Amino acid sequence: MGVLSDRIESQEFFPDPKDVVFYEVALSKDDAYLVTGNTKHFPKKPIVVTPAKMLEILCHDRVRTLCDSHEVSDTL
């Protein structure tokens, strides 16, 4: 299953022009991230994260979801 989205073109500089498409995909969706081990090739923006940072984000969101649903004592 794909996700339909309007393209948001970036005017940022990229050392490798082939990386632009990945950044533009992340820009085009709310709450999207570009996960990369090579953050130096992308603009310093909150949507560009390392794999370790993405795990941190996911774990934080999971704990918040558990807290909101009152499942914390059963699962943690």
Side-chain angles (χ1 to χ4, degrees):
M1 175 188 274
V3 176
L4 182 61
S5 177
D6 291 328
R7 179 178 178 187
I8 295 179
E9 292 189 39
S10 173
Q11 302 303 317
E12 306 274 352
F13 169 77
F14 290 83
D16 183 351
K18 295 178 204 164
D19 289 335
V20 175
V21 67
F22 302 108
Y23 183 70
E24 290 177 344
V25 167
L27 285 177
S28 71
K29 299 304 288 177
D30 291 335
D31 296 329
Y33 292 93
L34 189 155
V35 181
T36 179
N38 196 359
T39 57
K40 293 178 185 176
H41 280 200
F42 295 93
K44 293 186 187 287
K45 303 285 183 175
I47 66 166
V48 179
V49 298
T50 64
K53 181 65 177 175
M54 189 73 239
L55 285 174
E56 188 180 304
I57 292 166
L58 291 171
C59 288
H60 179 264
D61 287 350
R62 175 74 175 139
V63 168
R64 186 174 21 166
T65 300
L66 290 171
C67 290
D68 290 346
S69 66
H70 305 290
E71 297 176 21
V72 172
S73 61
D74 296 333
T75 59
L76 294 180

